Amino acid sequence: MPDPIQSISTLLNKISSQADVEESAEWYLRSYLVDYKRTLLRKWSSQEIEFATGALMRFCAQSLDTDGALYRECAEIAEEGTKMGEQLKAAGR
């Protein structure tokens, strides 16, 4: 399974120059990804990860071209995060 933390870092680096354009989709996406990464690193509960994954995917579905590469990368990160949440749930968290 790919590491979602590394995938988020890679995507953050990829969008860094566009993310400096205030109120661009990448600008907002950076904020969502940073928050999501923080949530995954904390690993407090499967429910927290599930909530954060839903928020990330809602943003991506509403703000990005669903046929575009950026959307696909977000969806892959969310899928990796979901798997991490499922592992926590299996461990009783």
Side-chain angles (χ1 to χ4, degrees):
M1 173 175 95
D3 175 20
I5 305 303
Q6 183 57 49
S7 297
I8 291 169
S9 296
T10 300
L11 184 53
L12 284 169
N13 286 336
K14 185 176 178 179
I15 67 167
S16 66
S17 61
Q18 299 99 315
D20 288 338
V21 178
E22 198 167 322
E23 297 191 18
S24 66
E26 292 84 359
W27 187 75
Y28 287 108
L29 178 58
R30 175 175 54 195
S31 178
Y32 275 91
L33 289 172
V34 167
D35 288 346
Y36 193 56
K37 184 177 179 179
R38 198 173 294 133
T39 298
L40 295 180
L41 286 168
R42 272 197 309 257
K43 297 182 186 176
W44 278 349
S45 71
S46 57
Q47 193 171 27
E48 182 187 27
I49 290 175
E50 189 177 308
F51 180 78
T53 301
L56 175 64
M57 284 313 300
R58 272 189 302 283
F59 167 78
C60 292
Q62 293 170 357
S63 303
L64 302 176
D65 174 6
T66 55
D67 293 325
L70 200 51
Y71 178 85
R72 280 193 302 278
E73 289 180 69
C74 283
E76 288 170 13
I77 287 169
E79 188 176 319
E80 293 166 15
T82 297
K83 289 176 186 170
M84 183 182 277
E86 289 169 354
Q87 289 173 346
L88 281 177
K89 194 176 217 172
R93 291 174 49 201

